[in-house]
Coordinates of all heavy atoms in Angstrom, one line a residue:
Y1 N -2.3 -4.7 -13.1 CA -2.8 -6.0 -12.6 C -4.0 -5.7 -11.7 O -5.1 -6.3 -11.8 CB -1.7 -6.7 -11.8 CG -2.2 -8.0 -11.1 CD1 -2.3 -9.2 -11.8 CD2 -2.6 -8.0 -9.8 CE1 -2.8 -10.3 -11.2 CE2 -3.1 -9.1 -9.2 CZ -3.2 -10.3 -9.9 OH -3.6 -11.4 -9.3
L2 N -3.9 -4.7 -10.8 CA -5.0 -4.4 -9.8 C -6.2 -3.9 -10.6 O -7.3 -4.3 -10.3 CB -4.5 -3.4 -8.8 CG -3.4 -3.8 -7.9 CD1 -2.9 -2.6 -7.1 CD2 -3.9 -4.9 -6.9
R3 N -5.9 -3.0 -11.6 CA -7.1 -2.5 -12.3 C -7.8 -3.5 -13.1 O -9.0 -3.6 -13.2 CB -6.6 -1.3 -13.2 CG -6.0 -0.2 -12.5 CD -6.5 1.2 -12.9 NE -5.7 2.2 -12.3 CZ -6.0 2.8 -11.1 NH1 -7.0 2.4 -10.4 NH2 -5.2 3.8 -10.6
T4 N -7.1 -4.4 -13.8 CA -7.7 -5.4 -14.6 C -8.5 -6.4 -13.7 O -9.5 -7.1 -14.2 CB -6.7 -6.2 -15.5 OG1 -5.7 -6.7 -14.7 CG2 -6.2 -5.3 -16.6
R5 N -8.1 -6.6 -12.5 CA -8.9 -7.4 -11.5 C -10.0 -6.7 -10.8 O -10.7 -7.3 -10.0 CB -7.9 -8.1 -10.5 CG -7.1 -9.2 -11.2 CD -6.6 -10.2 -10.2 NE -7.6 -10.7 -9.3 CZ -7.4 -11.5 -8.3 NH1 -6.1 -11.8 -7.9 NH2 -8.4 -12.0 -7.5
G6 N -10.1 -5.4 -11.1 CA -11.2 -4.6 -10.4 C -10.9 -4.4 -8.9 O -11.9 -4.2 -8.2
I7 N -9.7 -4.3 -8.5 CA -9.3 -4.1 -7.1 C -9.1 -2.6 -6.9 O -8.2 -2.0 -7.6 CB -8.0 -4.9 -6.8 CG1 -8.3 -6.4 -6.9 CG2 -7.5 -4.5 -5.4 CD1 -7.1 -7.3 -6.8
G8 N -9.8 -2.0 -6.0 CA -9.7 -0.6 -5.7 C -9.3 -0.3 -4.3 O -8.8 0.8 -4.0
R9 N -9.3 -1.3 -3.4 CA -8.9 -1.0 -2.0 C -7.7 -1.9 -1.7 O -7.6 -3.0 -2.1 CB -10.1 -1.5 -1.0 CG -11.3 -0.6 -1.1 CD -12.4 -1.1 -0.1 NE -11.9 -1.1 1.3 CZ -12.4 -1.9 2.2 NH1 -13.2 -2.9 1.9 NH2 -11.9 -1.8 3.5
L10 N -6.7 -1.3 -1.0 CA -5.5 -1.9 -0.7 C -5.2 -1.8 0.8 O -5.3 -0.7 1.3 CB -4.3 -1.3 -1.5 CG -4.5 -1.2 -3.0 CD1 -3.2 -0.5 -3.6 CD2 -4.7 -2.6 -3.6
T11 N -4.8 -2.9 1.4 CA -4.3 -2.8 2.8 C -2.8 -3.3 2.7 O -2.5 -4.3 2.1 CB -5.0 -3.7 3.8 OG1 -6.3 -3.1 3.9 CG2 -4.3 -3.8 5.1
M12 N -1.9 -2.4 3.2 CA -0.5 -2.7 3.1 C 0.1 -3.1 4.4 O -0.2 -2.4 5.4 CB 0.3 -1.6 2.5 CG -0.1 -1.3 1.1 SD 1.0 -0.2 0.2 CE 0.2 -0.1 -1.4
V13 N 1.0 -4.1 4.4 CA 1.7 -4.6 5.6 C 3.1 -4.9 5.1 O 3.4 -5.0 3.9 CB 1.0 -5.8 6.2 CG1 -0.4 -5.5 6.7 CG2 1.0 -7.0 5.2
G14 N 4.1 -5.1 6.1 CA 5.4 -5.5 5.7 C 6.5 -4.6 6.2 O 6.4 -3.9 7.2
L15 N 7.6 -4.7 5.4 CA 8.9 -4.0 5.8 C 9.4 -3.2 4.6 O 9.3 -3.5 3.5 CB 9.9 -5.1 6.1 CG 9.5 -6.2 7.1 CD1 10.4 -7.3 7.2 CD2 9.2 -5.6 8.5
A16 N 10.0 -2.1 4.9 CA 9.9 -1.4 6.2 C 8.9 -0.2 6.1 O 8.8 0.4 5.0 CB 11.3 -0.9 6.6
T17 N 8.3 0.1 7.2 CA 7.3 1.1 7.2 C 7.7 2.4 6.5 O 7.0 3.0 5.8 CB 6.9 1.5 8.7 OG1 6.7 0.3 9.4 CG2 5.6 2.3 8.7
D18 N 8.9 2.9 6.8 CA 9.4 4.2 6.4 C 10.1 4.2 5.0 O 10.4 5.2 4.5 CB 10.3 4.8 7.4 CG 11.3 3.8 8.1 OD1 11.0 2.6 8.1 OD2 12.2 4.3 8.8
F19 N 10.2 3.0 4.4 CA 10.8 3.0 3.1 C 9.8 2.3 2.1 O 9.0 3.0 1.5 CB 12.2 2.3 3.1 CG 13.2 3.3 3.6 CD1 13.5 3.3 5.0 CD2 13.9 4.2 2.8 CE1 14.5 4.2 5.5 CE2 14.8 5.1 3.3 CZ 15.1 5.1 4.7
C20 N 9.9 1.0 1.9 CA 9.1 0.4 0.9 C 7.6 0.4 1.1 O 6.8 0.6 0.2 CB 9.6 -1.0 0.6 SG 11.3 -1.0 0.0
V21 N 7.2 0.3 2.4 CA 5.7 0.4 2.7 C 5.3 1.8 2.4 O 4.3 2.1 1.7 CB 5.4 0.0 4.1 CG1 3.9 0.3 4.4 CG2 5.8 -1.5 4.4
N22 N 6.0 2.8 2.9 CA 5.7 4.2 2.7 C 5.6 4.6 1.2 O 4.6 5.1 0.7 CB 6.8 5.0 3.4 CG 6.8 6.5 3.0 OD1 5.8 7.1 2.8 ND2 8.0 7.1 3.0
F23 N 6.6 4.3 0.4 CA 6.7 4.6 -1.0 C 5.5 3.9 -1.7 O 4.9 4.5 -2.6 CB 8.0 4.3 -1.6 CG 9.1 5.3 -1.4 CD1 9.7 5.5 -0.1 CD2 9.5 6.1 -2.4 CE1 10.6 6.4 0.1 CE2 10.5 7.1 -2.2 CZ 11.1 7.2 -0.9
S24 N 5.3 2.7 -1.4 CA 4.2 1.9 -2.1 C 2.8 2.6 -1.7 O 2.0 2.7 -2.6 CB 4.2 0.5 -1.6 OG 5.4 -0.2 -1.9
A25 N 2.6 2.9 -0.5 CA 1.3 3.5 -0.1 C 1.1 4.8 -0.7 O 0.0 5.1 -1.2 CB 1.3 3.6 1.5
V26 N 2.1 5.7 -0.7 CA 1.9 7.0 -1.3 C 1.7 6.9 -2.8 O 0.8 7.6 -3.3 CB 3.2 7.9 -1.0 CG1 3.2 9.2 -1.8 CG2 3.2 8.2 0.5
D27 N 2.4 6.0 -3.5 CA 2.2 5.9 -4.9 C 0.8 5.3 -5.2 O 0.1 5.8 -6.1 CB 3.2 5.0 -5.5 CG 4.6 5.6 -5.8 OD1 4.6 6.9 -5.8 OD2 5.5 5.0 -6.1
A28 N 0.3 4.4 -4.4 CA -1.0 3.8 -4.6 C -2.1 4.9 -4.4 O -3.0 4.9 -5.2 CB -1.2 2.6 -3.6
A29 N -1.9 5.7 -3.4 CA -2.9 6.8 -3.1 C -2.9 7.8 -4.3 O -4.0 8.2 -4.7 CB -2.6 7.5 -1.8
K30 N -1.7 8.1 -4.8 CA -1.6 9.1 -5.9 C -2.3 8.5 -7.2 O -2.8 9.2 -8.0 CB -0.1 9.4 -6.2 CG 0.5 10.3 -5.2 CD 2.0 10.6 -5.6 CE 2.6 11.5 -4.6 NZ 4.1 11.6 -4.9
L31 N -2.3 7.1 -7.3 CA -2.9 6.5 -8.4 C -4.4 6.3 -8.3 O -5.1 5.8 -9.2 CB -2.2 5.1 -8.7 CG -0.8 5.1 -9.1 CD1 -0.2 3.8 -9.1 CD2 -0.7 5.7 -10.6
G32 N -4.9 6.7 -7.1 CA -6.4 6.7 -6.9 C -6.9 5.5 -6.1 O -8.1 5.3 -6.0
F33 N -6.0 4.7 -5.6 CA -6.5 3.5 -4.8 C -6.8 4.0 -3.4 O -6.3 5.0 -2.9 CB -5.4 2.4 -4.7 CG -5.1 1.8 -6.0 CD1 -4.1 2.2 -6.8 CD2 -6.0 0.7 -6.5 CE1 -3.9 1.6 -8.1 CE2 -5.7 0.1 -7.7 CZ -4.7 0.5 -8.5
D34 N -7.7 3.3 -2.7 CA -8.1 3.5 -1.3 C -7.1 2.7 -0.5 O -7.1 1.5 -0.5 CB -9.5 3.1 -1.1 CG -10.0 3.2 0.3 OD1 -9.2 3.5 1.2 OD2 -11.2 2.9 0.6
V35 N -6.2 3.4 0.2 CA -5.1 2.7 0.8 C -5.1 2.8 2.3 O -5.2 3.9 2.9 CB -3.7 3.3 0.3 CG1 -2.5 2.5 0.8 CG2 -3.7 3.4 -1.2
T36 N -4.9 1.7 3.0 CA -4.7 1.6 4.4 C -3.4 0.9 4.7 O -3.0 -0.1 4.1 CB -5.8 0.8 5.1 OG1 -7.1 1.5 4.8 CG2 -5.6 0.7 6.6
V37 N -2.6 1.5 5.6 CA -1.4 0.8 6.1 C -1.7 0.4 7.6 O -2.0 1.2 8.4 CB -0.2 1.8 6.1 CG1 1.0 1.2 6.9 CG2 0.2 2.1 4.7
L38 N -1.6 -0.9 7.8 CA -1.8 -1.5 9.1 C -0.5 -1.6 9.8 O 0.3 -2.5 9.7 CB -2.4 -2.9 8.9 CG -2.9 -3.7 10.1 CD1 -4.0 -2.9 10.8 CD2 -3.4 -5.1 9.7
E39 N -0.3 -0.6 10.7 CA 1.0 -0.4 11.3 C 1.4 -1.5 12.2 O 2.6 -1.8 12.4 CB 1.1 1.0 12.0 CG 1.1 2.2 11.1 CD 1.6 3.4 11.8 OE1 2.9 3.6 11.8 OE2 0.8 4.1 12.4
S40 N 0.4 -2.2 12.8 CA 0.7 -3.3 13.7 C 1.4 -4.5 13.0 O 2.1 -5.3 13.6 CB -0.5 -3.8 14.4 OG -1.5 -4.3 13.5
A41 N 1.2 -4.5 11.7 CA 1.8 -5.6 10.8 C 2.9 -5.0 9.9 O 3.1 -5.5 8.9 CB 0.7 -6.3 10.0
C42 N 3.5 -3.9 10.4 CA 4.7 -3.3 9.7 C 5.8 -3.1 10.8 O 5.5 -3.1 12.0 CB 4.4 -2.0 9.1 SG 3.1 -2.0 7.8
R43 N 7.0 -3.0 10.4 CA 8.1 -2.6 11.2 C 8.9 -1.6 10.4 O 9.1 -1.7 9.2 CB 9.0 -3.8 11.7 CG 8.2 -4.7 12.6 CD 7.9 -4.1 14.0 NE 7.3 -5.1 14.9 CZ 6.0 -5.3 15.0 NH1 5.1 -4.7 14.2 NH2 5.5 -6.2 15.8
G44 N 9.5 -0.6 11.2 CA 10.3 0.4 10.5 C 11.8 0.4 10.8 O 12.2 -0.2 11.8

């Protein structure tokens, strides 16, 4: 979905920092996306 829309930069927020945010961010980075996790808008 992201590739077909031409989206290359991702900012992630949500729950929980150490599980679903973490796994999502790491996978996105491995796939070549430019990833930022905004910790003030996450909780762990």
Side-chain angles (χ1 to χ4, degrees):
Y1 176 83
L2 295 170
R3 299 228 188 269
T4 54
R5 287 205 51 191
I7 295 168
R9 292 178 64 206
L10 308 177
T11 293
M12 295 194 179
V13 297
L15 306 171
T17 314
D18 35 347
F19 285 91
C20 296
V21 174
N22 168 33
F23 279 71
S24 299
V26 168
D27 280 347
K30 286 179 180 173
L31 292 168
F33 292 96
D34 176 355
V35 187
T36 298
V37 169
L38 186 59
E39 288 199 90
S40 62
C42 297
R43 293 292 183 273

